[in-house]
Amino acid sequence: MMSNTYDLQTFQGLIFTLQDYWMRQGCMVAQPFDMEVGAGTSHPMTFLRSLGPEPICCAYVQPSRRPTDGRYGDNPNRLQHYYQFQVILKPSPDNIQDLYLGSLKELGFDPTVNDIRFVEDNWENPTLGAWGLGWEIWLNGMEISQFTYFQQVGGLECFPVTGELTYGLERLAMYIQGKNSIYDLVWAKTKTGVVTYGDVFHQNEVEQSAYNFEYADTDFLFKMFDQMERESAELLKLENPLPLPAYERVLKAAHCFNLLDARHAISVTERQRFILRIRTLSRAVAEAYYHSREKLGFPLCRRAEEAK
Amino acid sequence: MSVSNLLLELGTEELPPKALRRLAEALAANFTAALKKESLSFETVKWYATPRRLALYVKALADKQPDQIIEIKGPSVKAAFNADGTPTKAAEGWAKSHGIDAKDAEILKTDKGEWLYIKQDKPGTAAAALVPDMFRQALAALPIPKLMHWGDKREEFVRPVHTLCMLYGDQLIPGTILGVESSKIIRGHRFLGQQTVTIDNADSYVETLRSQGAVIADYDERKAAIKAKVAELAASVGGEADLDDDLLEEVTSLVENPHAFLASFEERFLQVPAEALVYTMKGDQKYFPIYSKGGKLLPKFVFVANINPADPSTLIAGNERVVRPRLTDAEFFFKTDRKHSLEYFYQRLENIVYQKDIGTIAYRSTVVADTAAYIASLIGADENLCRRAAHLAKCDLATTLVTEFTDTQGIMGMHYAELDGEDPAVSKAIFEQYLPRFAGDAIPTEKVPMAVSLAEKAVTLTGIFGINMLPKGDKDPYGLRRAAIGLIRIAVENGLNFSLRDVIAKCAEVLGDKVKAANTVDSVCDYVFNRLKAYYQDRGIGAEIFQAVLSVKPQSLVDFDQRVKAVQKFKQLPEAEDLAAAYKRVNNILSKADVVSGDVNESLLQEAAEQALVKHILTLKPEIDSCYQSGSYEQALTKLAELRADVDSFFEQVMVNAEDPALKQNRLLILSKLAAILSTTADISVLY
């Protein structure tokens, strides 16, 4: 028995269902961040808002790019551009696992017929200076979500703790729609006919893979990396530091790094050094952001008090 | 005093499966130690563990500690009172710390003097009052690599905690641990049975959880059930399941109510080397692969679920769906790799850096090839086959399959070499170069694999020592310890008698100017010989025996081992301790004397005891020499034991430091001959 009216046999219906469910659990539904990021965690709503004492309940879709995962549209299971559905709850509520399981029921999965399991998977993102403990969620043996209690972000201890839930939308949709290829997923049933995921993104995967692996200008990317690194550091050195633009420079630098990685332009030993450079920037941003909120008196804490 | 049974349960979110047993066992051990420390008597402590709970059941726990009489001795009476009879500061402080006034202390009189003294009856504390703290501390002392916070709580544990139940008989023990208050209400299975279950009595814990909560709390019961069911399902298709104990434990730790199901994958995947399929089935999916009686992988597997639906078709179809893309990946990688021969991948190794100061993996392979060829000449292996195996040894690292499934390194190389029609010794060596991978693993037993595997390890050690990247503490990124133990095991257990120093020197010579550290050859040899200490410790052979042999610096690992075994036997002889003492004494005397050399002058032998000893040494010498020649150290040491009586009488009857310098010189010479003969196998002076 489903309590919503969205067509789960479509990709968009899946997104609407999740948004609707989490909205009903008291989350704000945010919009995707408008820059290239590797995962929903890099959205400032997660990376920055998980810092400090201010509470947040938020859900959003985040398009994510992983240039090295490009397969020229040939592999039915891998994409260099895909979608994550992200939920963050701070402080993580006591019933966070039940809330998550509620979302699966909403998607039509009866847990007495489908084997749902929390399997240990500890998360670490070296470029964000972040780690947490949690699980991957298995549905009949398939990983459909990541569940993490953030312990550290940008090198800062997370307290209160943010609970992060990340759904792999394509995988979940493939399961629900019973498709063996991402490209066969039904995105929507429109007035002008059925639109598949392949209709929307196959050409993009082919072209972007070529760009990522063959044509991305590595000299320019190296320069851009340096430039972004410099700028980010300088923005934090200002008398009134600007952590938000500084953070965007970090994301730009991280994307340059990912492209350079796809172009095999970075050797194994250099790789480690690049990761370290990004981490240094992330940490500086995290600290500056924390101080900026502190200066404002952590306004969202007051709001939460009033809401009680 | 009466007794009752105690139940302690901590309800949590899903615990790490690979750590579950360790956590539960440690909890039981910690709590048992606490019971003993608190003098609370009990019969047994049993642990229970599921993904969502850790529990202890203590049988026949005393309701309180025994009453005790406490006696405390304080400062001496002299120091306790001032001249005016008032207590000194010291006495007051002591009394206060024990909760009395100094003047109320009793006096203890002994023949050594008088002391302030307190004698108190200490009634035993009730178990129920002690249990919460003991449980709290037992939990706090668990071996948890990474603790976590959750919500806005300051408590830390492996995973968030939700329930606590402390029951003594049917009495709830109140208390709060990790932010949770003790209650009779605990949680059942997430999806089956009742979500919450009330435990009325410690004794009904297991059965109530089972009947109402659909949870089998007993870890070993779940494990046995899974094992039996998996085996049964495998047998139902005429096969045998791979009942790998690590996998069984992991699966047991992932379910509260296990049910096994049989599923299949398409037969076409069987053309991929089985190891690649098994790797993803076991490692990623926690599935049990099934083999035919002949050891061939069948297109079937068993998976274990935490639920038992009346119609398992969704569940089975779901799991089969998941494994398909994984096997498709393996198949794709395999087919991609097989477009070329294994040798084709060698060129890619020229672009993969092994270590920046040493060079590429391709370069390293040339060093291993030269070293393996040298070892081949020492142990009688075919040099060309050794070179060929070393050349191909790392090629699979550049294949897509190994890039994706890194644990299959060596295994894929072996299969690809077989498919290419390489000599069987070569393909075998490609796999066995990595042996032994862990304690108790198999080792190569044929000549070519032995030479290649030894060379692989010698090159690792020499290369990394040569650039001064020695292991520090627990950090050993290049696996030097494992390499050293590997060298030892392959040489010793196969009886390969060669000079380790020569092999390491050969490595260093081939590496040339890549070896930058001074004395690399010495350092590597010392390192390897020192690893023998742990090797022998594991085999119950004492450090003193290892030290005795190390002192005489054998060059060959096998020779070292033969000496160790001989000394071990020697030490059991009744004469051993006396001879060791005598040898120590001889060394002391010789170390104080000037250097002596030459032969004993028999005409200067005055005392019967010295004549007897010299005669005995002279008769024994050729026999012992021939023992050494043939490596019969045990026989040599047994013969030495015969010397004891003569050595003892020598020291009893002969004065070494005689006034006559010629006499003294001659006696020192006797001792030096004795020392030489005694120390050839090992330095027996360190045995006691």
Side-chain angles (χ1 to χ4, degrees), chain B residues 266-286:
Chain B
E266 285 108 303
E267 276 203 63
R268 67 182 172 93
F269 292 121
L270 291 176
Q271 55 179 307
V272 181
E275 287 89 346
L277 304 178
V278 168
Y279 178 84
T280 182
M281 277 199 279
K282 284 168 74 176
D284 297 327
Q285 297 298 140
K286 326 293 177 211

Side-chain angles (χ1 to χ4, degrees), chain B residues 504-613:
Chain B
I504 302 300
K506 176 69 186 180
C507 271
E509 177 200 319
V510 179
L511 281 162
D513 61 3
K514 307 276 183 191
V515 174
K516 301 213 166 52
N519 306 321
T520 294
V521 176
D522 285 335
S523 316
V524 172
C525 291
D526 287 351
Y527 182 76
V528 175
F529 281 113
N530 274 308
R531 295 313 301 167
L532 277 166
K533 188 174 182 178
Y535 176 79
Y536 286 118
Q537 222 157 31
D538 290 346
R539 281 154 186 77
I541 297 174
E544 75 287 352
I545 294 179
F546 159 79
Q547 201 57 49
V549 177
L550 187 69
S551 304
V552 298
K553 293 187 182 294
Q555 297 290 299
S556 145
L557 292 161
V558 169
D559 184 54
F560 197 109
D561 189 57
Q562 285 165 348
R563 287 171 195 254
V564 163
K565 292 197 173 123
V567 174
Q568 201 188 359
K569 289 258 172 63
F570 171 74
K571 217 189 148 187
Q572 287 160 8
L573 298 177
E575 295 90 348
E577 189 162 359
D578 276 356
L579 269 179
Y583 179 58
K584 225 181 265 184
R585 197 163 161 190
V586 170
N587 270 344
N588 277 339
I589 297 170
L590 288 176
S591 68
K592 284 175 201 144
D594 295 331
V595 186
V596 289
S597 62
D599 283 329
V600 175
N601 182 346
E602 292 194 34
S603 64
L604 289 174
L605 301 176
Q606 295 180 341
E607 310 284 345
E610 56 182 333
Q611 285 163 3
L613 182 62

Side-chain angles (χ1 to χ4, degrees), chain B residues 47-116:
Chain B
W47 59 265
Y48 296 94
T50 78
R52 299 174 77 203
R53 65 202 78 233
L54 291 170
L56 297 177
Y57 176 78
V58 183
K59 198 170 170 200
L61 174 67
D63 64 343
K64 67 183 200 55
Q65 296 169 319
D67 296 335
Q68 280 177 296
I69 295 168
I70 305 230
E71 295 177 273
I72 306 160
K73 205 167 105 177
S76 71
V77 170
K78 268 188 244 161
F81 297 101
N82 296 314
D84 59 1
T86 57
T88 59
K89 282 243 155 48
E92 272 176 352
W94 169 77
K96 205 175 156 196
S97 71
H98 295 288
I100 60 162
D101 276 342
K103 62 179 167 31
D104 296 333
E106 293 178 40
I107 306 289
L108 175 71
K109 290 182 183 168
T110 74
D111 49 4
K112 287 184 182 142
E114 297 182 357
W115 280 272
L116 292 193

Side-chain angles (χ1 to χ4, degrees), chain B residues 299-421:
Chain B
K300 304 270 176 199
F301 60 92
V302 178
F303 69 91
V304 176
N306 196 28
I307 53 170
N308 190 24
D311 174 7
S313 57
T314 307
L315 183 59
I316 293 172
N319 278 279
E320 289 178 344
R321 231 188 111 77
V322 183
V323 81
R324 195 176 305 125
R326 291 204 185 267
L327 298 181
T328 309
D329 270 354
E331 182 190 36
F332 172 76
F333 299 140
F334 173 70
K335 285 187 171 163
T336 308
D337 289 344
R338 289 312 298 160
K339 286 180 185 155
H340 305 284
S341 68
L342 182 59
E343 187 165 23
Y344 165 85
F345 293 95
Y346 186 83
Q347 55 177 350
R348 298 206 192 157
L349 302 181
E350 285 164 358
N351 295 318
I352 307 179
V353 173
Y354 164 64
Q355 209 293 329
K356 67 178 169 45
D357 296 321
I358 295 175
T360 63
I361 294 186
Y363 165 74
R364 187 178 178 284
S365 290
T366 65
V367 179
V368 174
D370 287 347
T371 309
Y374 174 72
I375 296 175
S377 72
L378 300 179
I379 67 170
D382 182 314
E383 288 187 33
N384 287 328
L385 289 180
C386 287
R387 282 190 179 279
R388 180 72 185 155
H391 176 69
L392 295 174
K394 302 294 178 190
C395 288
D396 69 350
L397 295 182
T399 64
T400 53
L401 220 157
V402 175
T403 311
E404 291 293 325
F405 306 146
T406 47
D407 279 12
T408 60
Q409 65 173 17
I411 297 171
M412 286 307 130
M414 173 181 72
H415 285 301
Y416 291 167
E418 276 167 8
L419 291 168
D420 288 345

Side-chain angles (χ1 to χ4, degrees), chain A residues 230-241:
Chain A
R230 206 162 32 239
E231 229 177 62
S232 180
E234 274 162 17
L235 290 170
L236 295 180
K237 276 190 220 138
L238 297 173
E239 198 183 326
N240 291 309

